[in-house]
Amino acid sequence: MKIVMLGAPGAGKGTQAEKIAAEYGLPHISTGDIFRKNIKEGTDLGKEAKGYMDAGKLVPDELTVRMLLDRVSGDDCRGGYILDGFPRTIPQAEALDGELKKLGEDIDFAIDVEVPDENIVKRMSGRRACPKCGATYHLEFIPPKKEGICDECGAELTIRDDDKPETVKKRLDVYHDQTQPLIEFYEKKGVLHTVDGTADVSDVFEAIKNILK
Ligand code: ADP
Ligand code: ADP
Ligand code: ZN
């Protein structure tokens, strides 16, 4: 089963992808997480990506596509995967499609997590992430048991560099301009499903399970 998560930055793609991954035993592939790991490790890829990310812009397609195709060619991806944050442009979606076509495969589900722009800034300003294990929390909506500390691994939670309100606004513009057209792209392929992302995490997850079953 191959799943693509669509939705604005902060819509809850990562939160839901993590739950789907656990439920169905599929790898959760987040291009944002891969970039952040590379930045932390100081790789060339990380150095190249950082400027774009901090500015709220997309990392160029060529670099992103190469990285993603390499990742999905891994052995652990043979039974499918969940893509979170990829594709983000039509050329990225076409590149993925082209590669899948060679294997006689296709994306089975594209799940659009819908959250209006008005809710997004609040989502992002309260987001706290674990730099060690990648778990995501929200100060108000999904607080950790102990303030500032990851439930999963005990590391200190951090604010993402690109979650400042100015950068979030820029990222939303980029989303509407470059990523939203993917909704129509997957609709035409007949695999698009929409869920209300303003509901509670568990209700959104129920809706997704109903789609996947
Ligand atoms: P969010 O969870 O808020 O949607 P991500 O963690 O997915 O954010 O992405 C963070 C940043 O990483 C993006 O703003 C962009 O700069 C870069 N990035 C992630 N995925 C892609 C992609 N598929 N194409 C281009 N840039 C990407
Ligand atoms: P994305 O991967 O789409 O950028 P995240 O999964 O990181 O989104 O979620 C963005 C923020 O909103 C995080 O702080 C997360 O804890 C919180 N969040 C996710 N889903 C919900 C929800 N259904 N209701 C309230 N807050 C949520
Ligand atoms: Zn952690």
Side-chain angles (χ1 to χ4, degrees):
M1 188 158 65
K2 298 190 188 64
I3 305 169
V4 164
M5 304 298 292
L6 298 173
K13 301 181 296 294
T15 300
Q16 296 299 329
E18 203 53 52
K19 293 174 80 68
I20 302 167
E23 176 92 8
Y24 296 91
L26 296 170
H28 167 199
I29 301 176
S30 156
T31 39
D33 284 350
I34 302 177
F35 284 133
R36 281 185 290 276
K37 182 162 179 276
N38 275 275
I39 290 173
K40 212 163 106 190
E41 291 170 354
T43 67
D44 287 343
L45 177 69
K47 281 178 194 140
E48 185 151 5
K50 185 169 171 36
Y52 296 103
M53 291 172 75
D54 286 349
K57 294 180 185 167
L58 295 182
V59 178
D61 285 340
E62 215 247 271
L63 190 70
T64 307
V65 166
R66 201 166 0 111
M67 176 181 90
L68 188 276
L69 293 182
D70 178 62
R71 177 65 188 85
V72 298
S73 70
D75 275 349
D76 64 328
C77 289
R78 290 224 190 109
Y81 42 78
I82 307 151
L83 299 183
D84 160 20
F86 184 99
R88 256 182 161 95
T89 65
I90 295 281
Q92 289 181 13
E94 285 172 342
L96 175 64
D97 255 18
E99 207 56 32
L100 289 174
K101 204 166 258 160
K102 287 188 210 162
L103 306 166
E105 299 177 355
D106 218 333
I107 293 297
D108 303 298
F109 298 95
I111 299 175
D112 179 29
V113 183
E114 266 189 343
V115 173
D117 284 11
E118 304 87 83
N119 303 30
I120 293 291
V121 177
K122 197 164 180 201
R123 285 269 179 108
M124 307 292 253
S125 60
R127 172 155 64 183
R128 294 294 180 272
C130 175
K132 202 166 154 204
C133 76
T136 301
Y137 301 87
H138 191 282
L139 282 186
E140 192 181 330
F141 308 135
I142 306 159
K145 293 196 185 84
K146 185 156 178 261
E147 198 186 317
I149 302 293
C150 179
D151 291 350
E152 306 294 327
C153 74
E156 207 162 310
L157 301 177
T158 55
I159 302 179
R160 269 171 50 172
D161 287 341
D162 57 349
D163 276 351
K164 300 191 227 28
E166 320 83 79
T167 319
V168 169
K169 249 194 110 262
K170 172 74 189 160
R171 287 161 66 200
L172 267 177
D173 288 344
V174 169
Y175 168 75
H176 289 301
D177 194 39
Q178 303 199 56
T179 307
Q180 214 166 15
L182 291 174
I183 293 175
E184 200 187 324
F185 180 93
Y186 285 106
E187 188 170 26
K188 279 192 185 140
K189 287 166 72 74
V191 297
L192 182 75
H193 301 265
T194 302
V195 295
D196 175 8
T198 64
D200 283 349
V201 171
S202 56
D203 291 340
V204 180
F205 186 49
E206 285 306 315
I208 292 175
K209 279 198 289 190
N210 270 323
I211 291 165
L212 300 179
K213 77 174 183 222

